[in-house]
Amino acid sequence: MKISAFTIVRDADRFDFQIEESIRSVLPIVDEFIVNVGKSNDNTLQLVKNIDSDKIRIIESVWDTSKYDRGGQIFAHQTNLMLKECKGDWCIYLQADEVLHEEAMPEIKYACKKYLNDILIDGFLLRYVHIYGDYKHYIPARHVAYPKEVRIVRNDKDIHSWRDAQSFRKIKNFDYQDYYRTKDTQMLRCILLDNAFIFHYGWSRDPYKMVKKIIVQKSLHDGIANINYKEQPYHDYGNISCFPEFKGSHPKVMDERIRNMNWQKVLSYSGANPNMNKIFPVKYRIINFIESFLPHGNRLWGFKNYKQKGIFKN
């Protein structure tokens, strides 16, 4: 059995993506790691080249944002190209701000081996911790941040990245045009790896770089020119103390980055709630409280793009 990993990244230093930590976090359990490095305005390519591993294969690319200019489809398209490059039986996908916790590795390897020949299983769901602001807080709500998602898929020519690379679907004879297509598509049949956690740091990055990332991200999702978004000096995370403290352990590969965090002076621990409308209104406070008692990252409602067929515990 062989396991591949793959990712896409562009302007990692400019937007403070944790790409080095992301790649390093999964290297011990994979046979290869395919990295799509889009043409960047910083030293992203060198950052990836500096990772000392013969498992890494870099593919340089130019992202066609004129063709894929809505809904973040450019991310799905570039992800799809890398999935096609994978040679393993299973393919692990990490986005550039996602880091695998080392404690997840044994469970992933065991599950991949156990279900290798079970053609009724298309992939695996991994659990999530969404870190917020200062690396010391997290987002507990399951409707503003997905509690689990498909991050390991079988190497199958009919499995494709979907929407804005949020997840995957089976699409036969896909023409690589509409990544939001639902007709003649199938959700993947997945097993939840209940003790395998990915740490998402998309809401915990340098505020001076975060503000630039938000502008570009919005333009790739809604197609509106960057001039419609007034850039602030830095991103305001709001009152971080509104979120619970994270008392667990971060992935070890994040230790140095967390120690070197240098934006404490622009963070706030008082004042108004952050602008997240699926957390603080009364309706969502009630929903989030009820869901906090549900096991396995389950939620009462909300979008999901998979068919969970069981729970695996090593």
Side-chain angles (χ1 to χ4, degrees):
M1 180 189 73
K2 291 187 177 181
I3 302 176
S4 299
F6 64 108
T7 193
I8 67 170
V9 65
R10 188 176 71 166
D11 292 323
D13 185 50
R14 182 182 172 208
F15 299 143
D16 198 26
F17 281 100
Q18 298 81 7
I19 186 61
E20 294 175 85
E21 293 84 358
S22 180
I23 293 173
R24 291 183 190 279
S25 72
V26 76
L27 278 176
I29 58 170
V30 301
D31 298 281
E32 63 171 358
F33 200 127
I34 315 298
V35 185
N36 173 339
V37 178
K39 185 178 181 181
S40 303
N41 296 302
D42 62 7
N43 62 337
T44 298
L45 181 60
Q46 193 58 49
L47 286 175
V48 178
K49 286 183 175 180
N50 287 344
I51 301 174
D52 184 19
S53 174
D54 58 6
K55 295 180 180 180
I56 297 174
R57 178 157 63 97
I58 298 172
I59 297 178
E60 297 180 56
S61 62
V62 176
W63 296 9
D64 186 358
T65 54
S66 62
K67 179 178 181 180
Y68 302 101
D69 66 343
R70 297 290 192 279
Q73 293 188 69
I74 184 62
F75 304 123
H77 183 65
Q78 293 297 325
T79 298
N80 226 3
L81 296 179
M82 294 307 99
L83 176 56
K84 290 171 62 178
E85 294 285 336
C86 292
K87 297 181 173 64
D89 301 289
W90 296 103
C91 307
I92 301 176
Y93 174 54
L94 287 181
Q95 296 186 354
D97 55 9
E98 297 179 344
V99 181
L100 183 71
H101 200 288
E102 61 275 4
E103 292 179 0
M105 295 185 194
E107 185 160 314
I108 290 174
K109 288 189 69 174
Y110 194 91
C112 286
K113 183 177 180 180
K114 178 178 179 180
Y115 291 96
L116 178 61
N117 298 314
D118 187 346
I119 61 173
L120 296 180
I121 299 303
D122 303 308
F124 299 101
L125 298 165
L126 274 65
R127 300 278 300 276
Y128 270 81
V129 177
H130 298 272
I131 300 298
Y132 189 83
D134 60 356
Y135 296 121
K136 296 178 181 178
H137 293 77
Y138 72 98
I139 301 174
R142 300 180 185 185
H143 288 269
V144 74
Y146 40 84
K148 50 190 172 183
E149 192 49 84
V150 182
R151 282 297 179 263
I152 305 176
V153 298
R154 190 178 293 278
N155 196 340
D156 182 325
K157 64 180 178 62
D158 292 329
I159 293 178
H160 299 279
S161 185
W162 193 63
R163 289 175 54 133
D164 59 350
Q166 169 258 345
S167 190
F168 298 86
R169 279 203 179 187
K170 272 192 173 182
I171 312 173
K172 290 189 176 182
N173 303 314
F174 186 45
D175 59 5
Y176 305 96
Q177 299 298 315
D178 180 9
Y179 282 91
Y180 277 76
R181 167 181 162 184
T182 57
K183 184 179 179 181
D184 298 324
T185 70
Q186 295 177 348
M187 296 182 187
L188 301 192
R189 300 160 296 183
C190 296
I191 298 293
L192 170 64
L193 305 188
D194 203 34
N195 296 312
F197 281 87
I198 287 176
F199 279 60
H200 174 227
Y201 294 98
W203 285 294
S204 188
R205 63 181 82 198
D206 184 337
Y208 294 98
K209 297 181 178 182
M210 178 71 155
V211 71
K212 301 178 186 294
K213 183 258 184 185
I214 290 173
I215 291 174
V216 172
Q217 191 92 350
K218 285 183 176 179
S219 69
L220 292 174
H221 273 83
D222 57 29
I224 299 175
N226 292 351
I227 59 173
N228 288 324
Y229 301 98
K230 184 178 179 181
E231 183 174 334
Q232 303 298 321
Y234 60 86
H235 177 68
D236 183 4
Y237 284 107
N239 182 357
I240 292 176
S241 65
C242 292
F243 295 93
E245 288 189 33
F246 177 67
K247 299 185 182 298
S249 66
H250 288 265
K252 290 180 181 178
V253 294
M254 285 293 295
D255 285 352
E256 184 176 355
R257 181 180 284 264
I258 292 173
R259 282 197 305 268
N260 294 335
M261 190 194 86
N262 61 358
W263 61 79
Q264 191 72 42
K265 62 182 180 181
V266 297
L267 299 180
S268 174
Y269 295 87
S270 62
N273 293 335
N275 184 23
M276 289 189 175
N277 62 8
K278 291 187 177 180
I279 295 182
F280 300 109
V282 174
K283 169 186 172 182
Y284 282 101
R285 289 191 184 198
I286 295 172
I287 292 174
N288 292 330
F289 174 75
I290 295 172
E291 289 181 337
S292 68
F293 294 97
L294 300 179
H296 316 302
N298 292 330
R299 53 187 176 186
L300 296 176
W301 301 281
F303 175 80
K304 65 177 183 179
N305 180 49
Y306 50 80
K307 294 181 179 179
Q308 185 174 316
K309 293 298 183 180
I311 300 173
F312 177 84
K313 291 184 179 181
N314 188 13

